[in-house]
Amino acid sequence: MNNQMSQTQGQSDPLAQLRDIHLPEPISWWPPAPGWWLLTMIMLAALFFTIQWLIKRRANNCYRREAIEQLKQIQVASINNLERCQALLTLLRCTAKTAYPELALESELTPTLLSRLNQCCSQEVFDPKLQQQLSQLPYQASPEISEALLQQLQQATKQWLKKHNKKSYKHGQKISTGET
């Protein structure tokens, strides 16, 4: 009788017929939502343009790196002060010709060249005293260049090579070419 009673209770007991809750499958990481695809495309495009910009910038500054390397060679060369000064001015002329071919700076007199090179930089690099001292050298019978003048020219050259703007504009105005 007990056995019979337990069978009737099992059949009439609705709780005995329940099963465990079935959990849904976990959300997969693949395929990502459309927003993630969009973000990935934006990031790839940004990476592409950044790499392209860096390559172009490096190529555009190749002349600058070469000029700085030549400056280092001039500084360690065993030549007298006059030859070193001439080498520095030649380096400035060649670099200016490469950076600003439309200005024809290579044929300018030294003070004019230095003055116009100052316009290519955000701040004045070649001060008027240096320009004046260098302008007097060609007219001396035996030009003497002091070590201080040479050091000042080397520092100004190095600073100009590193800081000049490739564009021939300063504060929105084109550098004067001296022509009318």
Side-chain angles (χ1 to χ4, degrees):
M1 185 141 161
N2 276 343
N3 199 8
Q4 213 179 26
M5 200 187 220
S6 67
Q7 275 186 346
T8 33
Q9 275 184 346
Q11 289 175 351
S12 65
D13 186 16
L15 293 177
Q17 296 174 356
L18 289 179
R19 296 184 184 173
D20 284 338
I21 297 175
H22 294 288
L23 297 176
E25 292 185 24
I27 298 173
S28 69
W29 287 95
W30 197 258
W36 288 109
W37 283 109
L38 181 65
L39 181 64
T40 301
M41 292 299 182
I42 291 171
M43 295 296 287
L44 287 174
L47 180 66
F48 173 77
F49 287 115
T50 301
I51 290 172
Q52 196 174 34
W53 176 78
L54 288 172
I55 290 171
K56 185 177 179 182
R57 182 174 175 222
R58 180 165 172 76
N60 286 342
N61 285 324
C62 181
Y63 78 96
R64 191 184 308 250
R65 285 188 305 276
E66 288 177 11
I68 291 172
E69 187 60 38
Q70 285 180 345
L71 176 65
K72 289 176 185 176
Q73 291 173 1
I74 291 170
Q75 289 174 335
V76 298
S78 57
I79 53 178
N80 65 34
N81 286 355
L82 181 61
E83 290 172 342
R84 186 165 294 168
C85 180
Q86 289 172 343
L88 289 171
L89 291 173
T90 301
L91 175 64
L92 282 171
R93 288 179 194 283
C94 290
T95 306
K97 183 177 182 176
T98 302
Y100 310 104
E102 71 277 1
L103 298 180
L105 293 172
E106 69 276 1
S107 62
E108 295 286 345
L109 295 173
T110 301
T112 308
L113 170 73
L114 297 179
S115 174
R116 292 181 62 199
L117 291 180
N118 274 336
Q119 293 177 345
C120 301
C121 220
S122 58
Q123 61 184 1
E124 187 175 84
V125 178
F126 304 102
D127 66 354
K129 184 180 176 186
L130 175 66
Q131 292 178 32
Q132 180 192 20
Q133 290 173 336
L134 290 174
S135 69
Q136 295 171 356
L137 287 177
Y139 304 107
Q140 296 175 358
S142 60
E144 290 293 322
I145 299 177
S146 68
E147 194 64 38
L149 176 66
L150 189 61
Q151 287 297 321
Q152 186 180 7
L153 180 59
Q154 285 179 346
Q155 287 301 324
T157 300
K158 184 177 183 178
Q159 187 176 2
W160 184 83
L161 288 174
K162 288 184 176 182
K163 299 197 182 244
H164 74 275
N165 300 322
K166 176 87 180 200
K167 295 179 183 173
S168 59
Y169 295 95
K170 179 179 179 183
H171 305 297
Q173 296 181 352
K174 191 169 182 168
I175 294 175
S176 64
T177 59
E179 300 170 4
T180 55

